[in-house]
Amino acid sequence: MLNRPIRRVLAAPFHRSNKTIMDRQAKDAPLDIAIVGCGIIGTVLALGLLKRDINVRIYDQAQSLREIGAGIAFTANARKCMSMIDHRIVDCVTAVATANGDPENPNNNMQFIDGFTHDPDDPTADDMTGKTLYKLCAGPRGFEGCHRAQFLDAVTELIPEGVNHLSKRVEEVVDDPNGGPVTLTFGDGTTATADAVIGCDGIKSRIRQLILGPDNPASYPHYTHKIAFRGLVPMAQATAQLGDYRARNQHMYGGPSAHVLHFPVAKQALMNVVAFVTDPADWPLDLAMSQPATKGEVAAAFASWGPTVRSIIDLLPPELDKWGVFDAWDHPAPTYARGRVCVAGDAAHAAAPHHGAGAGIGVEDALALCALLEGVQRSVRGQGARKETVLKVAFLAYTAVRRERSQWLVRSSREAGEIYEWNDPVCGADMAKGHEEIKRRSHKIWYFDIEGMLDELKMEYSRRLVPEL
């Protein structure tokens, strides 16, 4: 709760005591929420809560604001959620997003093609002629790439001064069972208090560990046995090698136990390339998820592929990054909350990137939490509800409504990777079957009933709240 000075009351109307007035001031004070993690989801959530007259402080262990990774895309449903959180967030997407294809006539398709099959006796021949290019329309502006760091920079500029607190690594969170504030203890020995804590601290979330327990395998992400090699290519080089259409439009190339994705970012100044390779080895959790790599490693993995894919790999810089792909599918979190502490985004349901929807689902979480906490504030102010009680109710409702869809995404993202890599037991190497299966799954993500989610949240909150009032 804010440490606002309470003015001395000389003559309380109707002979109310000072304690009564202080209780009224406490009830009318805004909620005070601590967010752990100042990445995309934490920042978007903070903007939504601030817009709803809820006090927010963000704590992050980093010494400076930064976002890892290269490309990210938001489809129409994610942008609609953003507009309902704070319309300025959509403006941030527009400011940094890159049109797919011709900016005057954008191509809204995700595109899939066989990148492996070719004539081995003529390794330099055109291997794309005669192949089907499968297209999946994502709707108006449905596939626009952003550079993660540019988008985070844009939304962070909207955060008021004094909200972000860096170099604050959370060690413990204690939820006072007697209704006092939740206390956060940081690695530097300092503490902070809040009415509730929301962990948006990513795939290795400390808050998830505190909710589920250190011995619970669901407290930690697990290796999917996929490596992602990432690189950015100057668009001039990409168009010279691939032609204008291929370089400036998203393409995904399928093949055995690997696949390659590229799409334009940075207002088409760069082509973002991600090459996924199946890895039978282990990747220890204590090893950083990003490791240095060389183009030679990627080239070796795709040496038997068609000339188009090999030419894309040849565009990569000599040194690049490789990422171990982790997710939360092997051991899904059984709950997203305990008491007045909850998790959102990757901290709750980290997914492999094969649907390109992890951030979008996290934005849905942020909208859900904004709606619920706005309802909590109304309950406290209008109905005299106990703040600590209704916060717990809100987080229970959040888990009840959000868990099924978000965990489905975790599973489907893992399975989509196998479809792209011809390992799915039904689709195999049949790209037509694979395209139809990806279409079915993508539509479930894109055509989500946002208003229905908000109605369900309201119903769950109200149903659980009545016995508590």
Side-chain angles (χ1 to χ4, degrees):
M1 188 177 298
L2 289 177
N3 295 318
R4 291 179 175 174
I6 300 175
R7 292 179 296 177
R8 184 181 179 191
V9 180
L10 298 177
F14 308 110
H15 305 289
R16 289 183 296 182
S17 69
N18 286 351
K19 181 179 183 304
T20 300
I21 295 172
M22 292 173 67
D23 288 344
R24 169 63 65 181
Q25 289 176 326
K27 186 183 79 169
D28 291 342
L31 287 175
D32 191 18
I33 304 299
I35 295 174
V36 179
C38 62
I40 288 174
I41 302 307
T43 303
V44 165
L45 173 59
L47 288 171
L49 296 180
L50 289 166
K51 188 176 178 64
R52 289 158 177 80
D53 188 33
I54 294 172
N55 291 319
V56 176
R57 281 158 295 141
I58 307 176
Y59 300 99
D60 197 290
Q61 65 181 349
Q63 296 180 357
S64 61
L65 297 173
R66 80 284 181 268
E67 179 61 78
I68 59 176
I72 188 172
F74 295 108
T75 50
N77 67 308
R79 292 199 306 274
K80 182 176 179 180
C81 287
M82 290 174 180
S83 70
M84 298 170 78
I85 294 169
D86 184 332
H87 70 276
R88 298 175 300 170
I89 302 171
V90 180
D91 296 336
C92 293
V93 176
T94 302
V96 302
T98 299
N100 191 42
D102 181 1
E104 300 301 320
N105 185 27
N107 178 353
N108 298 309
N109 294 325
M110 297 175 63
Q111 302 185 137
F112 311 87
I113 197 165
D114 174 357
F116 177 77
T117 306
H118 66 288
D119 182 357
D121 295 327
D122 190 359
T124 62
D126 176 12
D127 63 326
M128 294 290 110
T129 300
K131 290 183 179 178
T132 301
L133 178 64
Y134 299 95
K135 298 183 178 183
L136 178 55
C137 182
R141 301 188 63 188
F143 194 96
E144 290 188 336
C146 304
H147 193 287
R148 285 177 178 267
Q150 291 178 345
F151 176 66
L152 181 61
D153 287 346
V155 292
T156 299
E157 287 183 2
L158 302 176
I159 296 291
E161 186 177 353
V163 171
N164 278 323
H165 299 265
L166 303 179
S167 299
K168 292 294 182 183
R169 186 184 74 254
V170 175
E171 295 287 350
E172 297 294 338
V173 175
V174 177
D175 186 350
D176 185 350
N178 298 316
V182 182
T183 301
L184 301 93
T185 301
F186 303 104
D188 61 6
T190 61
T191 62
T193 60
D195 293 325
V197 175
I198 303 174
C200 300
D201 49 339
I203 191 168
K204 291 187 176 182
S205 170
R206 173 62 177 165
I207 304 303
R208 184 176 71 250
Q209 294 172 21
L210 295 174
I211 288 174
L212 301 179
D215 297 326
N216 190 333
S219 293
Y220 308 96
H222 296 268
Y223 188 40
T224 67
H225 293 280
K226 303 286 183 188
I227 292 175
F229 295 89
R230 301 174 182 266
L232 294 169
V233 177
M235 187 59 73
Q237 294 181 24
T239 55
Q241 182 91 314
L242 304 173
D244 200 65
Y245 180 85
R246 187 171 302 280
R248 296 184 186 275
N249 285 272
Q250 182 274 350
H251 285 78
M252 196 288 293
Y253 305 84
S257 298
H259 69 284
V260 176
L261 169 71
H262 65 73
F263 56 89
V265 296
K267 300 299 182 182
Q268 297 205 351
L270 299 169
M271 186 177 78
N272 182 49
V273 179
V274 190
F276 293 92
V277 176
T278 296
D279 174 26
D282 290 326
W283 190 298
L285 187 58
D286 59 359
L287 180 68
M289 292 182 181
S290 175
Q291 295 290 318
T294 65
K295 181 167 67 176
E297 291 180 63
V298 197
F302 290 92
S304 62
W305 284 53
T308 299
V309 167
R310 285 188 279 112
S311 68
I312 293 169
I313 302 303
D314 190 54
L315 285 167
L316 291 172
E319 297 181 353
L320 61 157
D321 293 328
K322 63 179 178 182
W323 294 70
V325 179
F326 285 72
D327 69 10
W329 176 242
D330 291 342
H331 301 278
T335 181
Y336 294 166
R338 187 181 70 186
R340 289 177 287 167
V341 183
C342 79
V343 285
D346 281 356
H349 43 74
H354 306 306
H355 272 310
I361 295 293
V363 170
E364 293 177 13
D365 290 348
L367 175 60
L369 287 166
C370 285
L372 285 166
L373 292 175
E374 187 176 26
V376 166
Q377 191 147 274
R378 284 197 302 266
S379 297
V380 173
R381 289 175 169 175
Q383 302 174 43
R386 289 177 57 85
K387 186 185 298 184
E388 64 273 15
T389 300
V390 289
L391 281 165
K392 293 176 183 178
V393 167
F395 288 166
L396 287 173
Y398 163 72
T399 292
V401 173
R402 291 297 303 158
R403 187 177 180 277
E404 180 179 357
R405 173 172 167 80
S406 55
Q407 289 297 331
W408 171 85
L409 177 77
V410 177
R411 183 185 76 244
S412 188
S413 295
R414 178 85 75 94
E415 293 169 349
E418 298 305 322
I419 293 171
Y420 295 149
E421 299 187 359
W422 299 0
N423 291 324
D424 181 78
V426 174
C427 301
D430 189 329
M431 292 285 289
K433 286 184 178 180
H435 172 254
E436 287 302 312
E437 184 60 21
I438 293 297
K439 178 180 178 179
R440 180 185 69 82
R441 294 165 185 257
S442 296
H443 283 185
K444 183 171 180 175
I445 298 168
W446 299 344
Y447 303 118
F448 177 54
D449 183 2
I450 299 169
E451 288 80 6
M453 176 192 75
L454 294 174
D455 288 343
E456 190 177 358
L457 288 164
K458 183 178 180 180
M459 181 182 67
E460 278 288 332
Y461 177 69
S462 299
R463 180 179 66 83
R464 295 167 184 270
L465 181 63
V466 171
E468 304 291 345
L469 292 177

